């Protein structure tokens, strides 16, 4: 069936991991092959493909079955092997020019011993300059006395 061949080709070209929807398959066929397949013909081809084991239905999408993928890879393998071309003869490399010998890297200098610094007197002064901590004032709660009424 010619339609199933188009469907197989479109699914391979779309390379969807979860499968290709019917809409995506139709769009690919219209854009690449410039043909339009009627809805009932497409539905019948997909149904036959699932029955024969060429296609697998996943939700509302279709994937190629493992067997169909193996057949396609076997069919494409001989085609790739046939057009072997002889490698172009390699050109001889041009003789390299002599380069000046590299200079040796300068010996690393020893790390200079760190000088001990006298403790700074300014550090004591900086402690005094710190802003005094803010004092928080607490407001006294005022309570209202309840009036008691006496019964007569």
């Amino acid at each position: 069936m010619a339609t199933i061949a188009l469907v197989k080709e479109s699914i391979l070209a779309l390379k969807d991991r979860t499968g290709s929807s019917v809409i995506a398959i139709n769009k690919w066929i219209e854009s690449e092959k410039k043909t339009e397949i009627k809805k009932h013909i497409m539905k019948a081809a997909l149904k036959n493909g699932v029955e024969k084991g060429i296609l697998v239905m996943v939700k509302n999408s279709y994937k190629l079955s493992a067997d169909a993928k193996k057949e396609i890879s076997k069919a494409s393998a001989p085609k790739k092997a046939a057009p072997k071309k002889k490698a172009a003869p390699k050109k001889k490399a041009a003789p390299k020019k002599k380069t000046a010998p590299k200079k040796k890297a300068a010996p690393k200098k020893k790390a200079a011993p760190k000088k001990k610094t006298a403790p700074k007197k300014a550090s004591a002064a900086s402690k005094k300059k710190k802003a005094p901590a803010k004092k928080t004032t607490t407001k006294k709660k005022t309570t209202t006395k309840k009036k008691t009424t006496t019964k007569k």
Side-chain angles (χ1 to χ4, degrees):
M1 190 173 205
T3 310
I4 196 71
L6 285 174
V7 170
K8 275 202 250 179
E9 190 177 344
S10 66
I11 291 173
L12 277 175
L14 290 170
K15 295 180 182 179
D16 282 334
R17 187 175 62 90
T18 56
S20 303
S21 67
V22 177
I23 296 168
I25 293 169
N26 276 330
K27 282 184 181 178
W28 185 89
I29 292 171
E30 285 179 20
S31 65
E32 298 296 317
K33 299 299 179 179
K34 310 288 191 263
T35 59
E36 187 175 330
I37 297 175
K38 293 185 179 177
K39 193 174 182 180
H40 68 281
I41 295 172
M42 176 64 79
K43 190 175 180 182
L46 292 171
K47 188 175 179 182
N48 284 337
V50 172
E51 287 175 2
K52 291 179 182 176
I54 297 169
L55 300 175
V56 177
M57 189 172 183
V58 180
K59 295 182 183 177
N60 284 337
S61 300
Y62 293 89
K63 294 168 73 172
L64 285 176
S65 66
D67 296 334
K69 285 181 184 176
K70 287 178 185 176
E71 289 174 16
I72 292 170
S73 64
K74 286 179 184 178
S76 64
K79 291 179 183 177
K80 289 180 181 177
K84 282 190 177 180
K85 294 182 179 179
K86 293 182 180 179
K90 294 181 180 179
K91 296 179 181 178
K92 292 182 181 178
K96 293 182 180 179
K97 296 179 181 178
K98 291 182 182 179
T99 57
K102 293 182 180 179
K103 295 181 181 178
K104 290 183 182 178
K108 292 182 180 179
K109 294 181 181 178
K110 291 181 183 176
K114 293 184 179 179
K115 295 179 182 178
K116 292 182 181 178
T117 56
K120 295 181 179 179
K121 293 180 182 177
S123 63
S126 66
K127 288 181 185 177
K128 291 180 185 176
K129 289 183 181 178
K130 278 189 179 177
K134 291 184 180 179
K135 293 182 182 178
T136 56
T137 57
T138 56
K139 292 184 180 179
K140 291 183 181 178
K141 292 183 180 178
T142 56
T143 57
T144 57
K145 291 183 181 179
K146 293 183 180 178
K147 292 183 182 178
T148 57
T149 57
T150 57
K151 290 184 181 179
K152 289 187 182 177

